[in-house]
Amino acid sequence: MPDFETFAHRKQQLQDHYERLIALIAERGVVPEPEADLALLRGARDALTGDLLFRVLCVGDFSTGKSSFINRFLLEQDLLPAWAWPTTTLPTRIRFGAQTRAIRFRPSVQEGADLEAEEVTENIAETLKNWVSTAAKDKVTDRAFPVIVEAPAPRLAAGVEIVDAPGLNDPNPERMKLTLDYLHQADGVLFFINADKPWTKYQKDFFDGELLIRDLLGRLFIIVNYWDCVPASEREEVLDYIRQQVQASLARRGTALTGQPIPILPVSAKTGENAALIQQEVWDVLGARKSTDVLALRVARFNQEVAKYLGLLDDRLALLGLDAQGQSRRRAQLQQEVKDYEQQREVFLAGLSRLLAVEFQSYRVDFQRLFEGLEADVAALQQEALAMRSTKDVNDLLARRISRLQKQAARQMSDLDAAFLTRLKATIEQKKADIRALPSTAVTIEEYVLRWQGLDGNPLAQAAPLAGGVGLAGLLLGAGTFWQTATLTTATPGILASVGTFITGAPAATASSFMLLGVPAIAIGGLLIAAAFFLRQNDQTKLAEQVRAACAQLAERVEDEKWKTLDQLKTNQAQRIAQICADVDDDISRTWRETIAELDAIQHIEDQGAALRALRDALQRLTLRVNP
């Protein structure tokens, strides 16, 4: 690839890489607060346009074909005025633009404004004749500001700006000064001479007095225009003459050429002859020089910016990787624990369900025995009451015995419930230990039970919060048991309904359910029935009949509630066991959810590291070779 095309390609590449770097810094979190960095990067990117601009100055006598050369080899159209007599009187800057237009700046007539711009997009060639030719106004103020011409020419698109200077043999010193001012700004100087009149005295004086005194070697080119006017037989002689004159000027200045001599390039702006020579000797040489002098430095600066951000990412990656091996081992351990639990879970829950079924069956047997003992106590109470002759004695007996019966049944029920719940907890915790699940942190049996989920999916403790002052006895006799065996004043009704309903499946509002209302309520109800009848009867025969009827009714209700309750226990056992297993599974799953959360945290760290490494790779790919 020719050097100029290489320069243009690398310039565009650098600009593109700046855009990508800015996007990465803005969007990918390379630095926590990127605003300051982005401002610096955007400033460096914007400065490339000026830093990497090719400014080429065309100087020479009037009518040496400078404007014709630009029209032919750069603009590829006749825009700039070119005649045989002096034409260009204002510096004309030619640069790339999306559309062809001409712009000139003049002192503003408006108060507070220094300059005003005038833009033309039609009849540009004719307009330029009026703006820059010697036929136009000859005022210093008009010549103080260059004319700008923009055109969508391919060569200009690479960042080339041509300055077409007024002729050197212009008698107006102001125009001459404008030309000299551009010499120190130019990346390349094209010194035009006329092949028909090579190396005039004025050209020699300007070459010696203005060009050689400046450091222009390597960027100075002698363009011998009108080459088509020189006969083929005389061309070599013309070139030899110009070379001799250049060598003589260098000798007078005591300047020794190193490397390539000052290029002497014969061209014809009229015919386009030696266009390839211009490409090779001017644009490629300037491109190589600009690459070395400017572009390489800008690339090095860009690479330093990239290296800075790579260093920041390396520091963050180092922090993430401090315990990478430990994290990897921990991940493997946690993954194995989760895998083991998932494999053991089904077997664990099936085994737990079987053990709970045994405990429920044992509880039903114990509960049936309690009912049978209650029935025997009612029968004994009947026999003792029948032996009495006084209504008052019967009433006193019933009051004493029913109160004792209430306390005895409540105590037995409490012991039965406490033993059942204790066995359930021991069974569950033993099965959890078999799979190395963490034990429950509940301190008391009531705390353990009230963590279970009720029929509504909420913990029983949420469904029925404890009243103040209710301790273990209250929980086991009411709130903490499955059956309401205490008077309604000894425990919170909400908990009674929640726990009792959970096990029996009976509605909380069913007043006839023994499991919900309990022994005391039934016994008191029977006492009230008997007392109301006994108070109206004083006959001995009638009294015995009433005692038998009342005790029979009480025994019948106890019998009815016994079978109703046992049937409910049997009917709901499978559902309740499944619910308890689900609660236990959920409780264990919390441990595994914590494990999975730890796995997720490790994964997040690894993902963060992967994202940082991907970002680092993206930054690394932006690094450019300084000198390809």
Side-chain angles (χ1 to χ4, degrees):
M1 182 183 294
D3 288 336
F4 186 82
E5 293 183 18
T6 300
F7 169 81
H9 170 74
R10 295 192 68 228
K11 173 186 173 182
Q12 185 61 52
Q13 185 183 48
L14 178 58
Q15 291 173 327
D16 293 343
H17 280 221
Y18 258 110
E19 294 293 347
R20 295 174 192 169
L21 177 60
I22 289 170
L24 288 176
I25 301 304
E27 301 169 7
R28 298 284 291 276
V30 178
V31 291
E33 296 181 355
E35 290 76 14
D37 291 72
L38 290 174
L40 292 174
L41 290 174
R42 291 185 180 119
R45 174 203 61 191
D46 296 342
L48 290 178
T49 301
D51 293 344
L52 300 179
L53 177 69
F54 262 109
R55 181 171 284 121
V56 178
L57 175 64
C58 297
V59 296
D61 287 348
F62 277 117
S63 303
T64 51
K66 300 186 300 298
S67 300
S68 299
F69 176 90
I70 295 171
N71 286 337
R72 177 79 185 199
F73 293 105
L74 291 169
L75 295 176
E76 300 179 0
Q77 58 178 315
D78 292 331
L79 283 182
L80 304 182
W83 298 298
W85 56 87
T87 51
T88 305
T89 60
L90 289 177
T92 305
R93 292 166 52 188
I94 302 98
R95 66 190 186 193
F96 178 80
Q99 69 173 124
T100 303
R101 63 175 183 166
I103 308 168
R104 72 170 173 176
F105 296 91
R106 300 168 62 89
S108 176
V109 296
Q110 297 181 2
E111 185 178 353
D114 294 332
L115 298 175
E116 61 182 19
E118 180 182 356
E119 178 180 330
V120 175
T121 58
E122 297 179 354
N123 300 320
I124 295 177
E126 189 65 29
T127 299
L128 289 175
K129 290 179 184 178
N130 295 327
W131 284 359
V132 304
S133 70
T134 54
K137 297 177 181 179
D138 191 22
K139 295 181 181 179
V140 173
T141 54
D142 288 347
R143 296 191 292 275
F145 310 101
V147 171
I148 296 174
V149 175
E150 293 184 350
R155 178 65 64 195
L156 301 179
V160 174
E161 180 179 283
I162 304 295
V163 179
D164 185 10
L168 300 178
N169 49 350
D170 189 339
N172 189 312
E174 291 296 333
R175 290 194 290 251
M176 185 64 184
K177 181 178 181 299
L178 292 175
T179 298
L180 297 178
D181 287 343
Y182 275 102
L183 280 175
H184 74 279
Q185 305 175 24
D187 297 294
V189 177
L190 306 185
F191 180 47
F192 283 79
I193 63 176
N194 191 327
D196 278 339
K197 302 175 183 178
W199 217 253
T200 65
K201 180 180 184 304
Y202 198 87
Q203 291 170 350
K204 179 182 73 69
D205 292 343
F206 184 81
F207 186 80
D208 291 350
E210 299 296 344
L211 298 183
L212 289 185
I213 65 172
R214 293 172 170 83
D215 184 19
L216 295 178
L217 294 181
R219 52 195 179 105
L220 174 61
F221 306 85
I222 298 175
I223 307 298
V224 184
N225 203 358
Y226 299 111
W227 195 240
D228 60 295
C229 298
V230 179
S233 59
E234 300 177 8
R235 288 185 172 184
E236 188 61 33
E237 182 181 350
V238 171
L239 289 178
D240 284 342
Y241 174 74
I242 296 174
R243 292 190 194 103
Q244 293 172 7
Q245 296 302 318
V246 169
Q247 292 292 341
S249 294
L250 291 172
R252 285 192 296 272
R253 294 293 305 177
T255 303
L257 287 177
T258 59
Q260 295 294 326
I262 298 175
I264 301 173
L265 309 175
V267 299
S268 173
K270 179 179 179 180
T271 65
E273 185 177 355
N274 285 340
L277 185 65
I278 296 298
Q279 170 68 47
Q280 177 181 348
E281 296 294 336
V282 177
W283 306 124
D284 288 350
V285 170
L286 289 178
R289 183 182 179 91
K290 192 79 168 182
S291 293
T292 302
D293 293 348
V294 182
L295 182 57
L297 297 177
R298 298 301 177 267
V299 170
R301 176 184 175 183
F302 174 79
N303 288 343
Q304 290 174 355
E305 294 291 345
V306 173
K308 177 182 70 175
Y309 296 117
L310 287 174
L312 294 176
L313 293 181
D314 287 339
D315 291 342
R316 292 165 63 181
L317 284 169
L319 290 176
L320 289 176
L322 287 177
D323 193 26
Q325 293 183 349
Q327 290 177 357
S328 179
R329 289 192 297 269
R330 180 58 176 163
R331 169 197 276 276
Q333 176 187 351
L334 295 175
Q335 289 175 333
Q336 188 61 46
E337 289 178 2
V338 173
K339 181 179 179 181
D340 290 345
Y341 171 68
E342 290 174 346
Q343 292 175 344
Q344 298 172 4
R345 178 176 176 271
E346 186 174 348
V347 175
F348 163 76
L349 292 176
L352 178 60
S353 179
R354 288 192 297 271
L355 292 176
L356 291 178
V358 171
E359 295 299 338
F360 267 76
Q361 178 61 33
S362 174
Y363 183 73
R364 285 204 313 274
V365 171
D366 292 342
F367 200 77
Q368 184 172 356
R369 290 173 181 165
L370 186 148
F371 266 95
E372 291 172 350
L374 184 58
E375 290 173 335
D377 289 337
V378 172
L381 176 60
Q382 176 181 330
Q383 293 300 321
E384 191 172 349
L386 287 175
M388 294 181 175
R389 297 291 182 265
S390 167
T391 299
K392 180 179 181 303
D393 292 340
V394 170
N395 285 337
D396 290 343
L397 173 66
L398 289 176
R400 291 195 310 273
R401 294 295 295 277
I402 287 177
S403 176
R404 187 187 311 159
L405 184 62
Q406 171 185 337
K407 294 177 182 179
Q408 176 185 329
R411 185 168 53 253
Q412 291 173 341
M413 188 69 71
S414 172
D415 294 342
L416 180 62
D417 288 347
F420 178 53
L421 293 176
T422 301
R423 291 198 305 272
L424 283 183
K425 177 182 178 183
T427 299
I428 293 170
E429 292 302 310
Q430 180 57 52
K431 289 299 293 180
K432 288 167 61 177
D434 291 344
I435 61 169
R436 299 191 303 277
L438 294 176
S440 172
T441 58
V443 177
T444 60
I445 191 67
E446 62 269 22
E447 181 184 357
Y448 190 86
V449 172
L450 291 179
R451 288 183 177 182
W452 290 349
Q453 303 294 318
L455 297 179
D456 59 358
N458 294 316
L460 298 179
Q462 292 182 12
L466 293 177
V470 178
L472 175 60
L475 287 167
L476 294 182
L477 295 179
T481 60
F482 297 118
W483 336 123
Q484 182 181 342
T485 56
T487 59
L488 296 180
T489 60
T490 62
T492 304
I495 295 180
L496 300 178
S498 298
V499 181
T501 301
F502 173 72
I503 291 296
T504 65
T510 305
S512 62
S513 170
F514 180 84
M515 291 303 169
L516 292 178
L517 294 180
V519 175
I522 295 175
I524 293 172
L527 175 61
L528 293 176
I529 293 174
F533 188 81
F534 299 154
L535 291 175
R536 296 195 301 270
Q537 303 292 335
N538 294 315
D539 182 82
Q540 185 66 32
T541 302
K542 294 293 186 180
L543 180 60
E545 292 176 356
Q546 293 167 3
V547 168
R548 291 190 183 92
C551 289
Q553 183 180 6
L554 184 57
E556 181 181 353
R557 291 184 63 185
V558 170
E559 178 76 5
D560 181 60
E561 293 295 337
K562 177 184 71 173
W563 291 113
K564 183 185 296 184
T565 301
L566 292 175
D567 287 344
Q568 286 178 337
L569 281 172
K570 183 177 181 180
T571 300
N572 292 287
Q573 174 179 314
Q575 182 181 358
R576 296 302 172 260
I577 289 176
Q579 183 68 36
I580 292 175
C581 287
D583 289 335
V584 173
D585 185 37
D586 183 69
D587 185 54
I588 296 175
S589 296
R590 291 191 186 98
T591 300
W592 303 119
R593 284 196 291 271
E594 293 174 1
T595 300
I596 292 172
E598 186 176 352
L599 277 172
D600 290 342
I602 293 175
Q603 183 64 51
H604 176 72
I605 293 174
E606 293 180 351
D607 290 345
Q608 187 178 12
L612 288 176
R613 285 189 290 274
L615 178 56
R616 191 192 187 285
D617 291 342
L619 282 173
Q620 185 68 57
R621 287 193 295 271
L622 293 180
T623 302
L624 295 169
R625 293 179 61 186
V626 175
N627 292 302

